[in-house]
Every structure is written in C-alpha cells, then in structure tokens.
Amino acid sequence: MKILIVGGGGREHAIAVAVAESPKADKIYCAPGNAGIAEVAECVPIGVDEFDRIASFAKEKEVDLVIVGPDDPLAAGLVDVLEEAGLRVFGPRKNAAILEGSKAFSKDLMKKYNIPTAAYETFDDAKKAEAYLETADYPVVLKADGLALGKGVLICNTKEEALEGVKSIMLDKQFGAAGNRMVVEEFMTGREVSVLSFVDGKTIRIMTSAQDHKRACDGDKGLNTGGMGTFSPSPFYTKEVDDFCKQYIYQPTVDAMAKEGREFKGIIFFGLMLTQKGPKVLEYNARFGDPEAQVVLPRMKNDIVDVMEACIDGTLDKIDLQFEDNAAVCVVLASRGYPVKYEKGLKISGLEKFKDADGYYCFHAGTKFDSQGNIVTNGGRVLGITATGDDLKAARANAYKAAGWVDFANKYMRTDIGKAIDEA
C-alpha cells in the first residue's frame, strides 16, 4: 500500500513510525512532514490547509490510504474533499469533526444525551457573558468555542479574572475567530485522564489511558501549552472508571453522533476529569492527542493500518485491540520561551544515539533541515523523547536519561513529568 500522512508534528511522526512497522506499508508519504519523519517517509512540501494540492498529489501517486493528523484540516473538511476525489481516508468528515471544532456543539450534545460533563452556559455576546459572570460561583472555566491549538481555556478564580478573560477571548480575540463564541463552565476538581479510541461509526475500541501535562513550567505553573509531556497508562484509570465510562460516556458518544446524522469514523480522544461524583467529560478531540500519541502508539500491539482500515470499512467489531503490559513516558524538549517567543534554526546534536536504542524514541515536533543538511529547531516544541519501561517509574527514568542524549542551544524541559506517578 501507498500511504499519505497529513501533518508535520510529533503526533504525525509517531503515526508514521507505527505505519512503517506495518507489512502493508510499501511507500509512505508525509505532507509536509519534518526532519524526523523524513527517516521513514518521503516528505512533500504541501501544507495541511492546501486541500486541493493534497488531493491532487494523492491521486497522482495512486495513494491507497490517507491519514489526517491535525485538528484544523479535519474541522475544515479535508476528509470530505479527499473522499470526493475518490480516496480512502482515515479521519472524521467535517460534520463529525465538529465534536472538537465547537465546544458549544459538544457541550450541547452531552446535555441532550445525558453524557456526564460540567454545568455550562454558552455566549456569543460579550456583554451577556459579563452579566452572567457578575453572579457566577467561582472558580469558573472560560473556553473559546473554536480550535485554539489546545490553548483556548482559561481558569478564573475571581470575577475580575473572569471579566478580563472575556475581554481577551471575545473582544481582543486572543485566540482569533475561535473566540467568537465562548463557553463558561463550572470548575471541576479531580485527576485528569486522556483516553483515545478508534471508532468506525458504530463500534468503539478503547486504547490505553494517558495523562498530559499542559503547563509550561514545573509544578504545573506558567502558561498553557500544546503539552510538555505525558505518560501511559494512568494509574488512576481503574477498572471501575473504565466500566463506568464504557457504559455512560464512550458508546453513548458514538451513538449520539450517529443519531445526529454525524457518523464518526476515526479517533475520538476523551479528556476526562475523575471527580468525586464520578468521571465527567472535560473535552473531546477528533484526532490523536499530541503528545499522547507518542506514548500510546509505541505500546500498541496491533498493525495500525489494519485498525484504521477497519474504522473506514465499519468492521472494527472484528478487531481485538491490544497493548503491551508496560508503560511509556514522553518528555517534550522545547525552545526556551515557548509558548510565547523563542529562537528557531538552532542545530540539534545527539539524535544518532536513538538509532539502535530499543524502547527509546525521539519524535520530531518542530524540526527541519537547514541549507547544509543539519537538523535544526523549527518550533516551540522541538522533540518528544519517549521511552518504555516495565512500569511507569522505570519508563520515566529511561525518558529523562534519553532526554540528556540530545542538545540544542535553547533546550528547555519540565523536570517533573509524571509526578502523579509518585502520588498513585
């Protein structure tokens, strides 16, 4: 098979590595890819938003399967464009990707179908939002309705913070058009857990659990980022939690989308909060998480191409999804100053140390080749250093050891990824 992966980050590198292990994959392309993905795929300089160019390229190369990685092209309807061109695509169509594309839609869906989530109100008028916040109970959570690269969420402890939040989201448009509407949500407390799943429109197969670290600095301080590291499995995701979620959250979400005429095929990522009143949905994503994919995919036993084809064909019920009885930890090496301002184009050394290191992975997120052929930094999150181990503590020790193998001038990382492992 010829396979095209759309995207150019750490998630797409993890997908590409998994696809490369499939005996079905004869040739892998990636658009646009990055310097790490270039080891396993032919990178083509086409942007993820160039739908017609992606379709033309896939037709010209007679691609058998297209895998769409990022959220923006899914929400904008890339799958529909490719399907209309006669291509087989893994990922939700536009009318299903709204599950992530609109916070207001997903909250309304959960309310309608009694899927456990936080109480909320939706506003498209800043004045009305401000009036509501005058009498709200604090803390509250403000969420930009649209896609904001994982950053459009503000936790406000006081009325003053909340009013400032309305200004930044709805009036100053800090997150662009994503802030045209806003959801105000009750603040939930508990452990956060990420659960990824494969879906074929009717059947859902749950992957192993993970936990992300969004804040830029140690101790969960600093600004929200796309994710500074993650571990899998979560020690807090017990059999009781799994049983509850399967009954009240996972299958009901798939069924709700089908009933709404929005058949979902692809990945549903469930962001859960394990509250004292039981698990509740924080958010849905319509694709692999980044960096969650970097710890979940290295633990998956199945051929990823088989599973993705089953999702497209509606035969997922025939797949027995299995994961290794081990653990994985990913530590993100970022550029100092991320997510605000940082230098790019800095040479990276030490990457060769991963070549024959079994159980160690270096997933490229923001890298490229310079004019001399050196691999240099090209983003805020540069590399995701992932390691497996017999248990979480061993995997964490391995990941931090491997993080020391690589260097670049403004290298920065959190030193406490997986701190919850010690609290379990």
Side-chain angles (χ1 to χ4, degrees):
M1 287 176 71
K2 293 179 186 172
I3 297 169
L4 168 63
I5 298 166
V6 177
R11 161 185 46 227
E12 288 76 31
H13 192 181
I15 293 168
V17 167
V19 168
E21 287 171 5
S22 169
K24 289 185 166 180
D26 300 319
K27 174 73 181 174
I28 307 170
Y29 299 100
C30 191
N34 62 39
I37 295 172
E39 284 187 21
V40 291
E42 181 183 328
C43 295
V44 289
I46 302 174
V48 300
D49 54 353
E50 297 181 88
F51 292 6
D52 292 338
R53 286 190 67 203
I54 293 169
S56 299
F57 176 84
K59 292 282 281 185
E60 180 199 327
K61 297 294 184 187
E62 298 178 334
V63 164
D64 300 293
L65 173 65
V66 184
I67 301 164
V68 183
D71 44 6
D72 282 342
L74 288 169
L78 176 56
V79 172
D80 308 63
V81 170
L82 297 176
E83 284 185 346
E84 279 159 25
L87 294 154
R88 271 171 76 75
V89 197
F90 177 78
R93 294 182 188 117
K94 182 177 182 176
N95 78 340
I98 192 173
L99 190 63
E100 173 174 14
S102 168
K103 301 278 191 302
F105 169 84
S106 65
K107 293 297 289 190
D108 291 346
L109 184 86
M110 288 185 267
K111 187 184 218 172
K112 181 174 176 180
Y113 291 95
N114 296 316
I115 296 165
T117 189
Y120 73 101
E121 294 289 338
T122 304
F123 299 93
D124 45 25
D125 178 330
K127 287 270 182 290
K128 287 180 177 166
E130 288 165 350
Y132 173 79
L133 290 165
E134 288 291 340
T135 58
D137 292 327
Y138 288 88
V140 296
V141 183
L142 308 187
K143 293 182 175 180
D145 175 54
L147 298 175
L149 298 171
K151 302 183 184 92
V153 177
L154 304 176
I155 295 166
C156 305
N157 293 303
T158 63
K159 182 171 77 177
E160 289 68 35
E161 282 179 26
L163 294 172
E164 188 55 41
V166 173
K167 183 176 179 294
S168 68
I169 292 176
M170 298 193 80
L171 301 174
D172 299 344
K173 293 285 189 275
Q174 187 184 341
F175 307 108
N180 291 346
R181 297 175 84 192
M182 187 182 75
V183 174
V184 180
E185 205 171 75
E186 75 166 312
F187 179 76
M188 295 190 287
T189 55
R191 294 278 178 190
E192 276 193 52
V193 177
S194 306
V195 178
L196 293 159
S197 68
F198 288 104
V199 182
D200 73 353
K202 52 187 188 299
T203 301
I204 182 165
R205 287 281 183 265
I206 302 302
M207 295 184 233
T208 180
S209 60
Q211 186 180 331
D212 189 12
H213 299 67
K214 282 283 186 207
R215 298 284 184 163
C217 308
D218 283 3
D220 291 325
K221 303 270 196 312
L223 295 170
N224 254 346
T225 70
M228 291 299 294
T230 182
F231 59 88
S232 171
S234 164
F236 307 102
Y237 188 78
T238 61
K239 182 168 187 317
E240 291 74 33
V241 171
D242 185 55
D243 289 343
F244 178 92
C245 292
K246 280 176 175 159
Q247 186 173 351
Y248 296 106
I249 295 174
Y250 303 150
Q251 191 66 50
T253 298
V254 177
D255 294 344
M257 289 297 281
K259 281 185 190 133
E260 293 294 310
R262 299 174 183 272
E263 178 189 57
F264 195 105
K265 291 187 172 192
I267 303 285
I268 298 182
F269 169 131
F270 297 88
L272 304 173
M273 182 71 85
L274 308 182
T275 75
Q276 286 184 317
K277 294 179 178 174
K280 294 187 179 186
V281 178
L282 274 172
E283 63 170 357
Y284 295 112
N285 292 335
R287 37 75 195 181
F288 276 108
D290 187 346
E292 288 87 354
Q294 288 92 302
V295 289
V296 169
L297 289 178
R299 298 185 55 222
M300 192 167 98
K301 289 183 179 181
N302 303 68
D303 180 333
I304 194 171
V305 177
D306 284 345
V307 183
M308 288 180 167
E309 290 213 287
C311 291
I312 296 169
D313 295 332
T315 56
L316 192 60
D317 58 333
K318 297 184 171 54
I319 297 278
D320 177 21
L321 199 60
Q322 294 191 335
F323 289 81
E324 301 285 355
D325 185 18
N326 63 357
V329 172
C330 174
V331 177
V332 170
L333 304 187
S335 301
R336 191 169 294 280
Y338 171 74
V340 183
K341 196 174 160 202
Y342 45 86
E343 203 181 335
K344 294 182 186 179
L346 303 169
K347 188 176 172 183
I348 304 169
S349 62
L351 294 169
E352 70 285 345
K353 294 183 178 141
F354 288 88
K355 280 281 189 286
D356 299 310
D358 198 33
Y360 294 87
Y361 304 82
C362 179
F363 295 118
H364 291 231
T367 66
K368 68 172 186 179
F369 292 104
D370 68 8
S371 54
Q372 280 84 49
N374 299 309
I375 295 179
V376 297
T377 65
N378 190 40
R381 292 190 296 171
V382 180
L383 302 166
I385 306 299
T386 297
T388 55
D390 290 339
D391 57 30
L392 285 163
K393 287 186 177 173
R396 179 175 59 183
N398 290 340
Y400 273 107
K401 177 179 75 179
W405 298 350
V406 190
D407 210 16
F408 48 93
N410 60 354
K411 171 179 156 183
Y412 167 76
M413 64 181 170
R414 277 185 59 166
T415 62
D416 64 347
I417 298 302
K419 64 185 192 307
I421 294 165
D422 304 312
E423 298 159 12

